[in-house]
Amino acid sequence: PYTTLFRSEYKIHPTRSGLMCRSKSESIIFDIYDRLEIPFHYDEVFTIGGAKVSPDFVGVRHDGKLIYHEHRGLHSEEYIARNDWKSSLYYSAGILPGINLIYTYDNEHGVLNAKLAEAIVRDIYWL
C-alpha cells in the first residue's frame, strides 16, 4: 500500500504503518486492508471521462478484479454533492456499487462502525 501526494495537507491521521490519511475513519479502513493483506492503493488519482478522480481505496481481489472503495464520512450538502458527482463518473466507467464499488459511512456522530466496514470489505473480496 502507498499514498500519493493528492491533498496531502489534509492527511493528518496516522495508520498503524505510519502513513497518513485524511480522516480517522480512513485510517481505520486503511488498517483493515493492511491487516487482511489485500493489495491496495490509497488516494490514487485516476482520469475518468476527462475528469480527475481519487477513490479513497482501490484494491485488487484474488481474481485480479479492481475494487473501488469510497468512504463517505461527512454529511454536509457540499460533500454529498461532490460525492454524487463522483458516483456518476464511476457509473459512466462501469464502476458499480455491489459489483466493483463499495461505500462505507460514518454515522451522524462522525463514527465509523469498524466491524461493519470490515464485514463489507471481506464480503466483496470473498474473504
Side-chain angles (χ1 to χ4, degrees):
Y2 73 98
T3 184
T4 66
L5 297 176
F6 182 70
R7 293 175 20 160
S8 60
E9 67 274 16
Y10 297 110
K11 293 180 180 169
I12 60 171
H13 299 276
T15 65
R16 289 183 182 187
S17 62
L19 293 172
M20 304 302 277
C21 292
R22 283 185 308 276
S23 71
K24 180 67 176 169
S25 295
E26 285 184 2
S27 71
I28 291 167
I29 295 166
F30 188 106
D31 289 336
I32 290 169
Y33 276 84
D34 203 34
R35 188 171 40 77
L36 295 176
E37 299 180 352
I38 297 169
F40 71 98
H41 292 215
Y42 171 71
D43 213 22
E44 184 175 8
V45 178
F46 292 92
T47 301
I48 298 175
K52 291 189 180 208
V53 64
S54 179
D56 294 324
F57 302 90
V58 179
V60 182
R61 199 165 57 193
H62 62 80
D63 63 353
K65 188 174 189 175
L66 293 179
I67 304 295
Y68 299 81
H69 183 161
E70 288 290 348
H71 179 70
R72 294 184 170 186
L74 301 176
H75 298 281
S76 71
E77 288 184 30
E78 176 188 347
Y79 182 82
I80 292 167
R82 186 172 65 242
N83 278 286
D84 287 347
W85 169 81
K86 192 187 278 189
S87 294
S88 68
L89 280 177
Y90 287 156
Y91 183 81
S92 71
I95 301 170
L96 304 170
I99 297 172
N100 56 353
L101 171 63
I102 55 176
Y103 290 104
T104 50
Y105 300 87
D106 284 353
N107 67 18
E108 66 276 5
H109 304 291
V111 177
L112 171 70
N113 180 331
K115 286 185 178 186
L116 178 58
E118 182 171 332
I120 291 168
V121 168
R122 285 180 173 278
D123 182 57
I124 201 154
Y125 284 93
W126 304 336
L127 301 176

